[in-house]
């Protein structure tokens, strides 16, 4: 099969298509013929040699994909059969003609969505779902500040925050991006290139600050984040695009706010890791449902034994039904641009220029 490859870390010019062995599904795995795979910042970082895949994961780029089931490996107990369309959360391997996927990491393609749109869902939307509901434990009426609000994760988080009854605010690098994200449900947006998002957040919230901050920037934003964090707020860090170094009195300022600094990554979570996810006691059929939020909810920690599969199952049950495109207020993946797989280098250049609003998708196998 053909797969995206690079011989040494560096710029996008190092990327090319290489013929490699087609993978075979092992126990509990499904072989997927890939129709499309979305690009993520992790792919860019891996290409630069700054983000290695987790142990045992494919070295091929691609953290999410859509396509059709080809074969099912031994021991699979799920509903997947040859020919089924599906989308997949991956630790790597999506930017190729075929990829093997643990059956619990597959999701059905929502009715009415194309495989191109479906490829833009798994990594971005599951990340946003995890950050908001599992890590940040957002509640109705709370204010959520979402950095990189026009990114794939950002556009997903805005819609999920609205669905949960929260008030999403975003930062973005242009007025056009802010207007576009406001159409998705953001209550307000702040251009980080032209003003102080921290002051703007405090002004919008009448001094109260943001209850939850979703931060993929890190070091360069720490002081402004703490300044606009509400009392007892949760600062959820999931990236370091602005660097890892912190200079100053972070701990004392965070302590003054009684704030929580929470960190999370999705890709590196092992399939068998005991999670820190919560399940509402007394409601075994419903994981992290917004209707159970509030002081009456009791949370049990470390219940699921398979973090990613449990996350996928919860997302499939609670969120996927809301992607129906013919309903008002439905969720939708935002696709900015589609590149053929052979133009993967151009797609990386486009991402590094920060031009995209939503997801950049690579079309692997043309869909009739």
């Amino acid at each position: 099969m053909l797969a995206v490859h690079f011989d040494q870390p560096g710029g996008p010019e190092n990327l090319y298509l290489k013929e490699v062995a087609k993978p075979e599904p092992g126990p509990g795995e499904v072989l997927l013929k890939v129709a499309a795979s979305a690009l993520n910042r992790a792919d860019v970082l891996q290409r630069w040699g700054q983000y290695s895949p987790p142990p045992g994961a494919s070295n091929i780029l691609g953290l999410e994909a859509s396509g059709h089931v080809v074969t099912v490996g031994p021991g699979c107990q799920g509903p997947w059969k040859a020919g089924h369309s599906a989308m997949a959360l991956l630790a790597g391997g999506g930017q190729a003609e075929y990829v093997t996927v643990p059956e619990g990491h597959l999701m059905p393609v929502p009715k009415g969505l194309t495989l191109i749109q479906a490829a833009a869902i798994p990594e971005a939307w599951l990340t946003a779902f995890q950050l908001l509901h599992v890590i940040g434990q957002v509640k109705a009426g709370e204010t959520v500040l979402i950095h990189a609000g026009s990114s794939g994760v950002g556009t997903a988080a805005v819609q999920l925050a609205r669905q949960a009854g929260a008030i999403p605010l975003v930062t973005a690098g242009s007025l056009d991006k802010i207007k576009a994200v406001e159409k998705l449900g953001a209550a307000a947006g702040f251009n980080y290139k032209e003003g102080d998002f921290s002051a703007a957040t405090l002004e919008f919230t009448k001094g109260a600050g943001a209850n939850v901050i979703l931060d993929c920037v890190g070091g360069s934003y720490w002081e402004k984040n703490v300044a606009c964090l509400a009392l007892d707020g949760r600062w959820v860090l999931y990236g370091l695009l602005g660097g890892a170094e912190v200079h100053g009195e972070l701990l004392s300022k965070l302590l003054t706010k009684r704030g929580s600094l929470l960190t999370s990554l999705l890709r590196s979570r092992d399939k068998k890791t005991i999670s820190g996810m919560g399940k509402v006691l007394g409601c075994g059929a419903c994981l992290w449902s917004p209707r159970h939020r509030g002081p009456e909810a009791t949370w049990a920690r470390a219940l699921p034994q398979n973090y990613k599969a449990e996350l996928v199952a919860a997302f499939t049950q609670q969120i996927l039904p809301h992607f129906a495109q013919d309903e008002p207020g439905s969720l939708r993946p935002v696709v900015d641009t589609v590149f053929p797989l052979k133009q993967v280098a151009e797609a990386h250049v486009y991402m590094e220029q920060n031009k995209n609003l939503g997801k950049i998708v690579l079309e692997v196998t043309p869909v009739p």
Side-chain angles (χ1 to χ4, degrees), residues 145-197:
L145 176 62
I146 302 164
H147 292 310
S150 63
S151 67
V153 173
T155 54
V158 166
Q159 296 177 70
L160 290 175
R162 273 295 184 195
Q163 185 193 53
I167 303 164
L169 309 176
V170 300
T171 62
S174 73
L175 182 59
D176 288 342
K177 287 184 175 182
I178 288 171
K179 288 182 177 179
V181 180
E182 286 177 343
K183 289 181 180 179
L184 293 174
F190 315 124
N191 188 336
Y192 64 85
K193 294 180 180 179
E194 297 181 353
D196 183 346
F197 69 78

Side-chain angles (χ1 to χ4, degrees), residues 28-49:
E29 292 184 334
V30 169
L31 180 66
L32 192 73
K33 181 174 176 58
V34 178
S37 177
L39 193 61
N40 288 277
R41 288 284 173 182
D43 298 315
V44 173
L45 292 173
Q46 183 174 332
R47 190 202 74 221
W48 281 112

Side-chain angles (χ1 to χ4, degrees), residues 250-318:
L250 167 60
L251 295 180
S252 63
K253 292 183 178 182
L254 191 62
L255 183 61
T256 300
K257 292 289 186 80
R258 303 194 302 267
S260 299
L261 174 56
L262 307 165
T263 68
S264 185
L265 294 172
L266 181 56
R267 183 187 190 186
S268 59
R269 289 188 184 272
D270 186 82
K271 290 181 290 185
K272 296 181 181 179
T273 298
I274 295 177
S275 81
M277 289 188 282
K279 181 176 178 180
V280 179
L281 294 177
C283 186
C286 180
L287 297 177
W288 313 298
S289 174
R291 70 174 181 269
H292 292 289
R293 298 279 172 199
E296 76 284 359
T298 303
W299 292 80
R301 306 297 291 178
L303 289 180
Q305 301 295 308
N306 185 329
Y307 189 100
K308 286 185 178 179
E310 290 285 347
L311 188 71
V312 168
F315 183 85
T316 300
Q317 179 184 5
Q318 296 297 322

Side-chain angles (χ1 to χ4, degrees), residues 206-222:
K206 297 182 175 156
N211 304 103
V212 178
I213 298 175
L214 302 190
D215 180 20
C216 58
V217 179
S220 62
Y221 273 12
W222 81 263

Side-chain angles (χ1 to χ4, degrees), residues 222-238:
W222 81 263
E223 198 159 14
K224 291 180 180 179
N225 280 336
V226 176
C228 69
L229 187 68
L231 286 174
D232 302 309
R234 286 89 73 202
W235 169 14
V236 182
L237 179 68
Y238 69 102

Side-chain angles (χ1 to χ4, degrees), residues 96-167:
E97 292 180 310
Y98 295 90
V99 65
T100 53
V101 190
E103 63 170 339
H105 299 182
L106 285 172
M107 296 172 282
V109 175
K111 182 180 178 181
L113 294 192
T114 67
L115 289 174
I116 294 291
Q117 291 172 308
I121 291 176
E123 174 71 16
W125 282 79
L126 282 163
T127 295
F129 178 66
Q130 174 194 230
L131 297 176
L132 282 170
H133 291 294
V134 182
I135 309 299
Q137 298 195 16
V138 68
K139 301 177 182 66
E142 290 189 321
T143 300
V144 183
L145 176 62
I146 302 164
H147 292 310
S150 63
S151 67
V153 173
T155 54
V158 166
Q159 296 177 70
L160 290 175
R162 273 295 184 195
Q163 185 193 53
I167 303 164

